[in-house]
Amino acid sequence: MQIGEVASRTELSLRTIRHYEETGLVVPSARSQGGFRLYTEADVARLMVVRRMKPLGFTLDQMRDLLEATDRLDAGTDLDADDRAALLERVRSYQQAAAEQVGKLRVQLARAEDFEGTLRARIARSEDLSPRHA
């Protein structure tokens, strides 16, 4: 698929997808004869990993590291037990960091919802006190 469809499916801008290509995070699998970037489902899946990591505060280097670890695990070839265990530990550390960030975001969301509720109640009180026009 071309970059426009990928952008639509991932909800990432064309600029962001090109940036991820420039940084080596997600490289299109091929180019058309006209030079257009062509992406596979696997490329889209990689972009979705990156998209999900970004709001959790992961750096580009961390994204690259996780993708490299999962690529090696998925390939499965030439991995001895120690290599597999080390890769799994790397992935596990990212999972734990993600869980910590999700917890922090839940606290922030609860505070934001509380604030919005306070404002809503304030507006309702003010509207109840305002003179009515008949």
Side-chain angles (χ1 to χ4, degrees), residues 22-71:
E22 290 167 10
T23 60
L25 278 176
V26 180
V27 178
S29 291
R31 293 256 181 184
S32 70
Q33 288 184 344
F36 294 105
R37 295 167 175 85
L38 298 175
Y39 296 86
T40 63
E41 289 297 330
D43 298 329
V44 171
R46 289 174 70 84
L47 281 166
M48 292 303 293
V49 168
V50 170
R51 190 185 109 193
R52 291 175 180 131
M53 290 180 80
K54 185 156 181 53
L56 297 177
F58 289 102
T59 66
L60 292 177
D61 287 338
Q62 289 171 317
M63 294 174 191
R64 193 176 295 108
D65 182 57
L66 176 62
L67 288 169
E68 190 268 333
T70 56
D71 286 348

Side-chain angles (χ1 to χ4, degrees), residues 36-127:
F36 294 105
R37 295 167 175 85
L38 298 175
Y39 296 86
T40 63
E41 289 297 330
D43 298 329
V44 171
R46 289 174 70 84
L47 281 166
M48 292 303 293
V49 168
V50 170
R51 190 185 109 193
R52 291 175 180 131
M53 290 180 80
K54 185 156 181 53
L56 297 177
F58 289 102
T59 66
L60 292 177
D61 287 338
Q62 289 171 317
M63 294 174 191
R64 193 176 295 108
D65 182 57
L66 176 62
L67 288 169
E68 190 268 333
T70 56
D71 286 348
R72 288 187 58 205
L73 280 170
D74 292 345
T77 57
D78 301 330
L79 286 180
D80 62 27
D82 290 340
D83 288 340
R84 179 172 294 286
L87 290 169
L88 281 171
E89 186 55 35
R90 275 169 58 192
V91 174
R92 190 173 288 112
S93 72
Y94 285 107
Q95 182 273 321
Q96 290 168 346
E100 288 175 19
Q101 284 303 107
V102 167
K104 291 176 183 177
L105 288 169
R106 281 194 177 112
V107 168
Q108 287 181 341
L109 179 59
R111 289 176 182 157
E113 288 173 335
D114 183 52
F115 175 65
E116 184 274 334
T118 300
L119 292 176
R120 190 174 355 101
R122 174 69 173 93
I123 291 168
R125 280 193 314 273
S126 292
E127 288 176 343

